[in-house]
Amino acid sequence: MFGGRTGTPTKQRVDTPPPTEIGPLLASELAIEYASLRAAGNCPTGMYLTPSPDTLLKWHGVFFVHRGPYAGSILRFSLVFPSSFPQSGPTVRFDSDVFHPMVDPKTKIWHARGRLVQWKPRVDHVPHILHSLKGSFRTSSLDSIQEREAVNKQVWSLYQHSHQTFLSMTAQRALHSASRSTLYPASYPLPPVPASPTSKSHARQTSVASSVSKGEEGPIVFRDIGEEERKRLREGMNRSLGL
């Protein structure tokens, strides 16, 4: 994708609002990074990103997970760039709780592994981060995480020692992330939650729903479509594919 070498440690930061105004040199660097995503293979399949309307230092993304334990999940995230970019790398922060060994449960920040732990200016680029992010949700990557690396040790322990429980919890969260109430909150709002849950079952359901979040949608907004529009879109895709 890109080439070169040198390096500085990558620091994981808590989410702070990036400045709305940036200099022309930094704006040019960010524009080049964003344009690079159009090149073949640079933006991973199932990921979509767009810059924030408020600042180029924050990009909003959606990750559709197609395979592995998290299959079916639709995860919103933000890519936040420091003012020192490209000398320092961006931070990936999910908009909701993500049940993953490399996602900090308090900050929702995803922590890279391997060579991206040390960001190398002019060598490491946004496509590298995105491919690493997608790869971290694959079974092979999850299998290779060592306990000392995991930032969420409870999830790591479940994956290693109570695998069926882990799979059940990720499947439940995947269903919720793709539910109508999550994708189209304005059209399908959740019912009000009783002040005092009457059963442990209800309490567990409430816990899962709240953990998947009420994060800001940002500029990427899902729209529910009717059967007629769905049919027209399907026919258009078939025509474009020559089917």
Side-chain angles (χ1 to χ4, degrees), residues 119 121 129 137 152 200:
W119 176 262
I129 293 175
F137 283 77
N152 190 329
K200 291 183 179 179

Side-chain angles (χ1 to χ4, degrees), residues 102-144:
M102 301 308 296
V103 176
D104 190 307
K106 294 180 180 178
T107 64
K108 303 174 188 173
I109 290 175
W110 170 79
H111 290 243
R113 298 171 62 219
R115 70 180 188 84
L116 286 178
V117 170
Q118 295 224 334
W119 176 262
K120 299 177 178 63
R122 312 296 180 189
V123 176
D124 295 326
H125 296 272
V126 169
H128 298 131
I129 293 175
L130 297 180
H131 279 281
S132 181
L133 174 62
K134 179 177 180 178
S136 71
F137 283 77
R138 296 192 181 111
T139 299
S140 57
S141 179
L142 292 164
D143 287 345
S144 67

Side-chain angles (χ1 to χ4, degrees), residues 42-100:
N42 273 8
C43 188
T45 303
M47 280 192 184
Y48 301 86
L49 292 99
T50 186
S52 167
D54 300 320
T55 174
L56 281 175
L57 289 173
K58 185 174 184 179
W59 299 0
H60 296 272
V62 175
F63 176 21
F64 294 83
V65 187
H66 295 145
R67 296 183 181 86
Y70 298 87
S73 298
I74 302 176
L75 307 174
R76 293 180 181 273
F77 65 93
S78 298
L79 202 60
V80 181
F81 296 84
S83 298
S84 58
F85 182 83
Q87 296 307 309
S88 302
T91 297
V92 176
R93 183 184 187 275
F94 285 98
D95 294 1
S96 58
D97 295 337
V98 175
F99 199 67
H100 191 285

Side-chain angles (χ1 to χ4, degrees), residues 180 184 223-237:
R180 284 184 165 184
Y184 323 114
R223 181 171 63 88
D224 197 11
I225 61 175
E227 186 56 40
E228 285 299 316
E229 188 173 357
R230 190 176 291 111
K231 182 179 178 181
R232 286 197 300 271
L233 288 171
R234 190 178 297 114
E235 290 173 349
M237 286 190 292

